[in-house]
């Protein structure tokens, strides 16, 4: 069995190494063997939690070249937080002791684009999609125009979600104790590279 990251910094290094393998077409597809599958029947010890978008082009296990039991993934359009998402993230950090939460936005996010367009036109979106736009709206960068506004809002939304997570009392206590790191990042569809945000 390969050594597992035990700290947030080790987890970040492993995610960066996995992303490098992904974007250079050198994936290892780790932790998929029969032995790993059998070991995971009784317990799990993921080393990172990725809160990402539902976009089909950005599956965290592939983007970071990780396997079964390595990542806990929570996905919602635009990384929007609600009680179910917050509860899922909290479960990973508080119950499983995961040391790293990575909020992962991505280039050309449809949820962010819809929120920006709705903000510009004032037109409403279908009921549940409007909820997403309302949550993203505080992140809209009004200092930019066109595609630049969408790109800037993607990063601002990642930081907004990251800061909201960091403000949750139970998560903040773990951050203050040095047991948890919450970071933001963006996946570039063009290059397949993950870059830190903030």
């Amino acid at each position: 069995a390969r050594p597992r990251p035990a700290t947030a910094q080790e987890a970040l290094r492993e995610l960066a190494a996995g992303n490098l393998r992904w974007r250079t077409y050198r994936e290892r597809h780790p932790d998929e063997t029969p032995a790993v599958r059998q070991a995971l029947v009784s317990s799990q010890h993921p080393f990172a939690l990725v809160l990402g978008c539902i976009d089909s082009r950005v599956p965290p296990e592939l983007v970071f070249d990780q396997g079964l039991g390595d990542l806990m993934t929570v996905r919602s359009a635009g990384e929007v937080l609600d009680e179910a998402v917050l509860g899922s993230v909290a479960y990973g950090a508080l119950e499983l002791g995961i040391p790293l939460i990575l909020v992962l936005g991505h280039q050309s996010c449809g949820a962010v684009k819809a929120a920006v367009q709705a903000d510009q036109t004032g037109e409403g979106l279908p009921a549940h999609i409007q909820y997403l736009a309302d949550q993203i709206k505080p992140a809209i960068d009004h200092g930019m125009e066109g595609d630049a506004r969408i790109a800037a809002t993607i990063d601002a939304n990642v930081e907004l979600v990251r800061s909201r997570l960091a403000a949750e009392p139970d998560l903040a206590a773990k951050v203050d104790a040095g047991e948890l790191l919450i970071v933001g990042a963006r996946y570039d569809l063009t290059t397949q590279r993950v870059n830190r945000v903030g």
Side-chain angles (χ1 to χ4, degrees), residues 4-154:
R4 300 186 66 75
T7 68
Q9 292 303 325
E10 289 174 3
L12 281 171
R13 285 193 290 273
E14 174 55 33
L15 293 181
N19 180 239
L20 177 61
R21 294 192 302 269
W22 164 256
R23 68 179 189 269
T24 57
Y25 303 96
R26 294 184 174 131
E27 300 95 319
R28 294 182 187 161
H29 301 288
D31 297 331
E32 297 177 4
T33 65
V36 168
R37 294 179 195 193
Q38 187 60 42
L40 289 172
V41 169
S42 59
S43 66
Q44 62 171 325
H45 304 283
F47 66 82
L49 185 148
V50 179
L51 170 56
C53 184
I54 60 170
D55 194 291
S56 64
R57 301 167 292 179
V58 194
E61 289 85 355
L62 295 181
V63 166
F64 293 112
D65 189 30
Q66 300 301 316
L68 297 171
D70 294 332
L71 303 179
M72 178 168 281
T73 58
V74 182
R75 298 177 74 177
S76 66
E79 308 86 55
V80 165
L81 298 175
D82 64 12
E83 283 301 310
V85 172
L86 281 168
S88 299
V89 171
Y91 180 83
L94 304 177
E95 298 298 318
L96 297 182
I98 295 172
L100 175 68
I101 296 172
L102 179 73
V103 180
L104 184 64
H106 66 93
Q107 177 187 14
S108 302
C109 180
V112 169
K113 185 175 181 180
V116 168
Q117 289 177 339
D119 182 66
Q120 289 173 333
T121 65
E123 294 178 11
L125 297 166
H128 300 292
I129 300 173
Q130 185 63 53
Y131 173 81
L132 299 172
D134 291 343
Q135 298 300 306
I136 295 168
K137 185 174 182 174
I140 294 175
D141 187 325
H142 291 98
M144 303 280 194
E145 296 295 333
D147 290 343
R149 176 177 288 178
I150 293 168
T153 300
I154 289 167

